[in-house]
């Protein structure tokens, strides 16, 4: 994670390692198992899920992972996982949890994974905050475009200040890169990688953010917009495609990762709600009006006078969930960060 006043990723990993050194030899496939079978159903209202923690478990000697950062699903129905383990950065699953193929050895800071279709063909966009770059690739791993640090903005003294965490692709193919662990700007490029503009940035202003961890394209209202995570502020912000601020939506208690759209709903992984020192987190489901309707693994969403009250992690369903991927049956696949090298888990819609 980004080193800041609230949280130091390296210190957290160091302290966690001291506590669970032996656990890092093999993935903890039994984490948080419920004593009561009824407790394995999580969520609220019409969005309830059965937790399947064995879905993606593999032989770590053959398919090792470190942090399981993000997942997407392609047109063939394959689930594509991005991990910062350089023995296999990209892992393809089928829906049963079987490994189909792997590739990638060159992304030690692999973090953001976006899938986009162009001319009938699908491509991946990978952010690497250790290499300070963004890569566009084919589904087989051939690199087509590399975006280096955005010196054109005039806001960076060098690559080390730029640590991209996510991308979103506009309807015309423009690329929006969130510098979530750097200066929190969103940088807009043409489909060919030509710099257009930058906006947001770290700060307290209405159009600024605090840790632009995620970004996505939202077309639910008809007009394409951008949703940008302001994670340390426990909120997300809406911008138009030219970077003009439209709205701020708060999610008190929830350090949200990237926003994910499926149908009329908006989904988040909440990596932390209570403490960075313990396993934490849950998932949020929002309706078309961005009202929280379910918090699987968290407290029931409650509104008082139209304001969402603080949400908290409950139970042991998750170990720092970092992303969500929603399939055609509205099941949710959840990769997790700093989770003893565990594989993604599945929330089966009930």
């Amino acid at each position: 994670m980004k080193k800041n006043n609230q949280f130091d990723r390296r210190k957290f990993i160091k302290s966690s390692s001291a506590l669970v050194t032996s656990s890092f030899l093999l993935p903890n496939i039994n984490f948080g198992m419920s004593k009561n079978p009824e407790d394995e159903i999580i969520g609220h209202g019409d969005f309830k899920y059965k937790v399947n923690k064995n879905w993606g478990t593999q032989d770590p000697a053959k398919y090792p992972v470190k942090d399981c950062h993000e997942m997407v699903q392609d047109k063939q129905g394959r689930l594509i996982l991005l991990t910062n383990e350089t023995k296999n950065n990209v892992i393809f699953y089928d829906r049963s949890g079987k490994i189909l193929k792997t590739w990638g050895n060159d992304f030690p800071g692999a973090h953001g994974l976006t899938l986009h279709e162009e001319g009938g063909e699908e491509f991946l966009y990978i952010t690497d905050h250790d290499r300070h770059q963004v890569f566009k690739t084919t589904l087989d791993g051939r690199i087509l475009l590399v975006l280096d640090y955005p010196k054109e903005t005039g806001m960076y003294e060098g690559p080390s200040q730029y640590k991209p965490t996510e991308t979103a692709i506009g309807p015309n193919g423009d690329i929006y890169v969130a510098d979530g662990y750097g200066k929190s700007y969103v940088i807009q490029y043409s489909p060919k990688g030509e710099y257009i503009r930058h906006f947001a940035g770290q700060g307290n202003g209405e159009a600024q953010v605090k840790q632009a961890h995620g970004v996505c394209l939202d077309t639910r209202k008809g007009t394409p917009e951008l949703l940008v995570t302001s994670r340390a502020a426990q909120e997300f912000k809406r911008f138009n495609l030219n970077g003009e601020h439209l709205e701020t939506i708060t999610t008190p208690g929830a350090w949200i990762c990237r926003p994910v759209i499926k149908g009329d709903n908006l989904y988040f992984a909440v990596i932390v709600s209570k403490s960075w020192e313990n396993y934490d987190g849950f998932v949020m489901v929002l309706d078309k009006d961005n009202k929280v309707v379910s918090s699987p693994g968290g407290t029931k969403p409650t509104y008082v006078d139209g304001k969402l009250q603080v949400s908290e992690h409950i139970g042991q369903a998750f170990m720092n969930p970092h992303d969500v991927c929603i399939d055609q049956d509205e099941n949710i696949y959840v990769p997790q960060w700093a989770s003893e090298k565990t594989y993604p888990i599945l929330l089966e819609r009930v």
Side-chain angles (χ1 to χ4, degrees), residues 7 34 110 117 296 334:
F7 178 63
S34 173
E117 184 176 344
V334 186

Side-chain angles (χ1 to χ4, degrees), residues 116-308:
H116 186 251
E117 184 176 344
E118 303 170 26
E121 184 176 358
E122 291 179 303
F123 300 92
L124 296 174
Y125 290 80
I126 297 172
T127 66
D128 189 313
H129 51 64
D130 285 1
R131 292 184 60 174
H132 317 288
Q133 294 173 309
V134 178
F135 302 86
K136 177 183 178 180
T137 77
T138 64
L139 294 191
D140 292 325
R142 182 164 57 92
I143 295 175
L144 304 175
L145 177 68
V146 180
L147 298 177
D148 292 314
Y149 90 96
K151 60 183 178 181
E152 302 91 339
T153 65
M155 307 305 295
Y156 297 84
E157 296 177 2
S160 64
Q161 295 182 327
Y162 177 63
K163 299 178 181 180
T165 52
E166 194 61 75
T167 59
I169 312 302
N172 66 346
D174 281 358
I175 305 165
Y176 296 84
V177 182
D179 181 21
Y181 293 152
K183 294 193 172 186
S184 285
Y185 287 107
V186 177
I187 302 97
Q188 181 181 355
Y189 297 91
S190 75
K192 295 181 179 180
E194 303 157 325
Y195 168 76
I196 297 175
R197 65 170 59 88
H198 64 283
F199 55 94
Q202 184 76 17
N204 296 315
E206 185 179 66
Q208 293 179 302
V209 298
K210 292 183 177 180
Q211 197 177 87
H213 188 272
V215 59
C216 82
L217 184 72
D218 185 359
T219 60
R220 290 176 298 163
K221 294 184 178 181
T223 300
E225 299 170 342
L226 295 171
L227 298 180
V228 179
T229 302
S230 182
R231 189 165 72 171
Q234 301 170 17
E235 62 191 16
F236 65 95
K237 297 193 175 187
R238 291 197 304 119
F239 293 85
N240 65 22
L241 297 185
N242 294 323
E244 297 169 336
H245 177 260
L246 302 174
E247 182 184 13
T248 297
I249 300 170
T250 60
T251 55
W255 289 62
I256 55 181
C257 290
R258 74 159 164 180
V260 176
I261 305 293
K262 183 69 173 183
D264 288 333
N265 297 111
L266 173 63
Y267 297 77
F268 294 131
V270 177
I271 194 168
V272 162
S273 65
K274 293 181 179 180
S275 170
W276 289 101
E277 301 302 322
N278 301 291
Y279 294 125
D280 199 335
F282 55 95
V283 171
M284 272 188 165
V285 185
L286 289 73
D287 65 16
K288 63 181 179 180
D289 298 315
N290 294 324
K291 180 178 180 179
V292 182
V293 293
S294 181
S295 298
T299 51
K300 182 178 179 180
T302 302
Y303 285 81
V304 176
D305 296 328
K307 294 184 178 181
L308 178 66

